[in-house]
Each structure stands twice: as C-alpha cells, then as structure tokens.
Amino acid sequence: MGTALLYHEDMTAARLLWDDPQCAIETPERLTAALERLRRRGLERRCLRLAAREASEAELGLVHSPEYVALVRGTEALDVEALRELSAQYDAVYFHPSTYHCARLAAGAALQLVDAVLTGAAHNGLALVRPPGHHSQRAAANGFCVFNNVALAAKHAKQSYGLHRAPSISSRMTPGELGVGHGPFLGPHSGSGAWPGVLYFSWHRYEYRHFWPFLRESDADAVGRGRGLGFTVNLPWNQVGMGNADYLAAFLHVLLPLAFEFDPELVLVSAGFDSAIGDPEGQMQATPECFAHLTQLLLALAGGRVCAVLEGGYHLESLAESVCMTVQALLGDPAPPLPGTLVPCRRYGERGEGRWAGRRPHPTLPRSALESIQSVRAAQAPHWASLQHQEATLCLPPGVVRQEEAAPQEEAEAWARPHGALAQGEALTVLGKVLCLVDRILDGQVGSGITAIPAPALAATLDVSIRRGLFHGAQRLLCVAVGQLDRPPDLADDGRTLWLNFRDEQAAALSVFHVSVPLPGATGGFLSCVLGLVLPLAYGFQPDLVLVVLGPAHGLQDPQAALLVTLLRGPAGGRVLALVEEEPKPQLAGILARVLHGEAPPSLGPFSAASPEFTQALGHLRGQLEVHWKMLQVAGEAGDTVLS
Ligand code: Q9C
C-alpha cells in the first residue's frame, strides 16, 4: 500500500520534428525534469514504482472511435512531411513516429493507476505521462493531446469496477488554456453534460473567452444538461496571475462543498501544472506548495482514493517542484506553509502586475477570482443543496506520537497551579505529557499528537496548552473547540490566538479572534461550517499550531470529527494537537490518531442539507467576519459587474 508512481521511459521518445512555436513547449524534458526531481528528493523510492503498459485498442475504444485509433496507429509509418501535414489538420498538435506508442503508454498508465487504487494495491497515485490527454476528443487530437487519458480512466473505473457515484471528480489543476477541449467525454460537449455518475470540475484560464480554445461552453453558466444538470462545474479564470489564495478559495467555496455533497468513490485529477507560477501558457502565480495543499484537500474525499494524471506544465522548474509537492502530499507528508498573505483577488489590477503585465485584455472589465467564484456558485446553486440559501453571504515528516514522554513533575505542577482540576493524580500526569507534546510539535520533532484527557480536567488542560504554546514561541495559535468549552477568560484578544468554538448556541463573533458557531446536526451544515468558515479562517490566520478539542457534548459523529482533524492539518503544516475527552467514546482517539497519521477519513455518509435557519445564521456570521477574514469572501465588491 502507499502511493503508486507510474512512468515509462519510452514516453520521452515523441518530440517535435519541425518548427512550430505553438507546440515547442511540449518536450520530453517535461517528464525527465519531473522524474529527476522526484529522485533527487528521495520521493521516487518512497512510492510503489509501476512501469506503464500500453492501453489496448479495445480500451482506447472506450472513448475514441475505431477510425481515429486506426489513423493514429497509421502515423507510426509516416515520414516527417506526412506527419507534419496530418498535424496541421488539428489545433496545436504534432505527431512523431513514436506518438502512437507513447499515447498508448500514457493511456495505459492512467488505466493501471485506477487498477492499482481500486484493487487496493495502492492508496493513491500519480501517472507521469505524455502526451497529455484532456483536450483530445472522440475522433480528434487537440492541444498536444492524442488519447484522453483521464476520460479513459473514468470509463474504465465505471465499467470494470461498477462504481456508482462513480468515477469521480475530475479536477484539473490547470487553467492553462484548457477551456474544455476534453469536454467531449467528461465535460459539457457530451450531450447531457458529464457522464452519469461523474462530477466534472474544471478551472481554466478563460479571459472572457479570449483565451484558447475560445469555447463558450467553458464558462460558469455551462452546467450540463438533462440528467447531467449540475454535474459539469466550470470555473473560468478571467484574469491571469491567479495565486494560492485564489485556488484555495476555489477549493473551499466551490469544489469541495460540491464534492463532499457528491461523495465520490474515486477522485481523478487531470493534473495540469500550467496552473503554476512561471508557466508560459497559464501565466498564473500559484506556488508549488499550493499543490500540496490542494492534493491534501482532495485526499479527504473518496477514502483518499486519488488518481492524478499529468496533463500540462511547461516551465520545467515549476513543473518539477509542483510534481514533488503533489507526490509529497499523496505520501501523507504535511503540506509546507503557503508563502505570503492569503487574500483572494478582488479587483482588476490586484494580480497580473509585474512580470505578467504584458497580457491585459479588456482593461475596462472587472476581473477577479471572487467574481469567478461568485458566478459559478450562482450558476450551480439550483443543483446543489450545499450552495442554497447562501444569499446572505453573497451580498456581503513526521508522524503522530502517542506520548509517553512527559515534562518533569515540578514543571507540570507549576503550570497546573491556577487550576484545581489539575492538582494531582492522572490529570497532572496527562498534563505533563501534553506540555511535552506542545513543545515537541512546535520544535518540529513531532508532527502532530493526540491525547485523551480525563473529562474534569479538559478545560484546564486546554487553557494550559494554549499558554504553553504561546510561551514556547507560537506566533499564532488556532484553537478549534467543539462542545461546551469556554474560552479561557483572561486570554488576551491580541491576535495571537484565534478561538473557534462549535457549541449549541447562537452563532456569534465576539471579536474577530473569538467566534462561536452553533453545532450543526446535518452533514450539510457541518460541511458549510468547516469548508465555509473554519478553513477560510484557519488559512487566513496561518497558525503555527492548531489545537482541536473535543469536549463535553461535542456531538460530532466520528467521521465528522475525523474530517475536521484531517482538514485542519493543512493550515499549520500538519502541526495539530488533538485533545479528546476520555469518556465516553474511547474509539474516537484511535480514529483521530489514524487521520493525523495521514490516513483518509471515513465518508460522512449520505448528504443531508442544512436547515435554512442554520445556513442563514452561518451566512450572517460570515458576513460579519469577512471584512477582516478575506478568505471567507465568495463574491466581488457590491457594485462590481459580473459578466456572464
Ligand atoms: N497561446 C495542454 O496543456 N496553445 N495543452 C495555444 C495559446 C495550445 C495545451 C496557444 C496549448 C495546448 C495539455
């Protein structure tokens, strides 16, 4: 078990044999640079290495017409002139005598990856392939793509494994140009939209249809038709220069709410790293670490069954780093912190300055991530319970340790002093362990930790843990307390701690650093809280340490607690300390220990929508907080025009 890495050296054989500036960026070095970097980082040897096999012609027939497959087969025998002539019949395509072999290996690698993950031979994996696939159509090559690797993988998963809400989410990490060339299979060209059982999500560089391939059906209002209504989700980026905060906001406010509601059995990722900084096609600014976070978030779906298949990515350095980050996340390593302040871009001009300043279409139109997010949420709202009744907000290396080591008794006693509940016995012993864990996590000697605390000592232990964290050098400490726990009364409201409390009361922001949210009963309410409130605050706050506390009457089901802890690994580089009340659920600590170790959380079960009252209360709270916490925003400024 572990992470599968699929590759075959033969896929470096195809290359451009004539002069064509449009195609010159799709080079064999793309694969060798990525692989070389994985080796150098010691990541390759941590993976289950599998040599790619060729897809059979029957398998290619799952998606492509026999005539088209025969035509590509025929290119093996063509001379350079004939190859060039044929290539010219397609948009941004070149053929080489080895193209057919490479393209069959690329498709075969995607199929094999699905096999590895669905048979349980691997938890997840990445196929490093070329040519890429997502622009290719039933009977046409397009945009460097010959066979549609991810579409074939989706069909194969459905057909051979009978998945129901099956294949997946296909999230392409690539705004590059993509529009939706691969639409014929997974996207909006397929008549009724995405295939039944497939939720298709795509983000792409669009620029109000001024960017290749200039398709109207790549826009946010293309949501699929008939049975497929709502299963095609397009997030067009209308401005270049989108960065980490924009991608993260798109995940938290669009992709993940829909994906959790869909509850897939498998996640297929068309991983185009032309969405990363430096790429000549994408012209975006997401840094490689962002891909670790995005991958980690996807791993919370489908029991962690994530299959990523390389698509674009033409800046060799950026590509190689981003691939490493993706593999690191697949392996379960904590994601490195995202550089810079996380604020999604709101107005034209906030991005796209500096090195990309040359490309500025339509300077009179507002363009921003928030407007794109707003328009896709509006277009999808009729089809997804998790987006309904949200108008209120729209207006406005390490492992886990079960700690045996403890701080010296006198030290524990000194820290316990103000609290009678910690004076002696088991409570004091546990406190000694917790103090030691806080230090070790902050020092980077231990990744994360979990401790069961005797119920009467929980509140006091939490209070001391916060103080110890701040004393030991944490600049910002996030505390997510679930259940009837009061914020320590004399904790300074100085921005060094952010206190989020789920409890059975009114939603209230007592300050920007002290927020109380009612405990949601429905899975939909829980997901809105976590994706729509807790994570945006957590990512905006950028804590050094996250304390998650499950206290009296916390009311979370085990899968909910597991998901909460899983997702909170993101914002603090995995530095999570979970404090769990000892009674009455001893098995919960075990589940949390496993997710802290990088195991996927169990499914939340059937989706149930939040009550309108709950959604309204949450929306109101978000509205109050979003002035300070920009990652909460899902819309442009009032008065901004949203073009459709
Ligand atoms: N300046 C993939 O990323 N370029 N294909 C169009 C725009 C075509 C991209 C010219 C790029 C195809 C897999």
Side-chain angles (χ1 to χ4, degrees), residues 264-531:
E265 296 163 333
L266 177 68
V267 178
L268 296 174
V269 184
S270 266
F273 296 105
D274 36 1
S275 49
I277 190 160
D279 191 276
E281 280 291 309
Q283 308 231 5
M284 299 295 171
Q285 295 194 338
T287 62
E289 305 83 52
C290 191
F291 296 97
H293 287 265
L294 300 180
T295 303
Q296 197 174 62
L297 288 166
L298 291 176
L299 285 168
L301 293 158
R305 287 182 287 278
V306 172
C307 297
V309 181
L310 181 67
E311 300 279 3
Y314 308 100
H315 185 286
L316 296 184
E317 171 64 24
S318 180
L319 169 68
E321 277 303 313
S322 303
V323 165
C324 285
M325 288 292 168
T326 302
V327 169
Q328 255 174 262
L330 290 173
L331 284 165
D333 294 355
L338 291 168
T341 322
L342 291 173
V343 177
C345 80
R346 170 183 265 287
R347 239 183 271 121
Y348 175 69
E350 282 184 19
R351 297 279 195 278
E353 305 284 0
R355 64 194 295 195
W356 312 121
R359 299 192 64 119
R360 286 190 177 185
H362 296 264
T364 55
L365 302 176
R367 348 179 123 67
S368 76
L370 289 175
E371 280 135 16
S372 296
I373 288 169
Q374 180 176 25
S375 53
V376 62
R377 283 170 59 99
Q380 297 291 343
H383 313 297
W384 295 94
S386 37
L387 295 182
Q388 276 151 29
H389 317 294
Q390 300 219 346
E391 291 72 17
T393 52
L394 290 177
C395 302
L396 308 174
V400 192
V401 173
R402 279 174 181 274
Q403 185 74 3
E404 291 314 322
E405 199 184 350
Q409 164 111 11
E410 318 79 72
E411 198 182 340
E413 278 168 3
W415 282 83
R417 201 148 294 138
H419 296 284
L422 298 176
Q424 60 207 279
E426 203 201 333
L428 189 62
T429 312
V430 172
L431 180 70
K433 293 181 180 181
V434 171
L435 292 179
C436 189
L437 253 182
V438 168
D439 292 1
R440 295 238 174 248
I441 292 173
L442 284 168
D443 291 342
Q445 293 161 327
V446 162
S448 55
I450 177 160
T451 310
I453 315 274
L458 185 65
T461 306
L462 171 59
D463 178 36
V464 177
S465 305
I466 295 172
R467 288 169 203 288
R468 178 69 167 215
L470 296 174
F471 170 81
H472 200 80
Q475 298 298 307
R476 285 176 305 279
L477 197 150
L478 169 62
C479 183
V480 179
V482 191
Q484 304 299 320
L485 284 157
D486 291 323
R487 180 173 179 274
D490 49 352
L491 198 64
D493 197 31
D494 57 0
R496 289 185 71 198
T497 53
L498 170 57
W499 173 269
L500 300 180
N501 194 182
F502 283 95
R503 60 194 297 168
D504 240 343
E505 279 160 31
Q506 286 281 297
L510 297 155
S511 81
V512 292
F513 299 109
H514 181 178
V515 178
S516 201
V517 198
L519 260 176
T523 56
F526 173 75
L527 286 166
S528 311
C529 269
V530 174
L531 300 173

Side-chain angles (χ1 to χ4, degrees), residues 22 75 96 104 140 234 261 285 337 351 363 445 467 635:
Q22 167 147 275
T75 62
H96 178 276
R104 280 178 65 181
N234 281 314
E261 184 172 341
Q285 295 194 338
R351 297 279 195 278
Q445 293 161 327
R467 288 169 203 288

Side-chain angles (χ1 to χ4, degrees), residues 119-154:
T119 58
H123 281 122
N124 57 42
L126 170 70
L128 280 181
V129 303
R130 62 187 283 274
H134 62 260
H135 289 296
S136 81
Q137 298 160 22
R138 180 170 165 74
N142 182 272
F144 315 152
C145 300
V146 177
F147 298 132
N148 201 315
N149 309 319
V150 169
L152 285 161

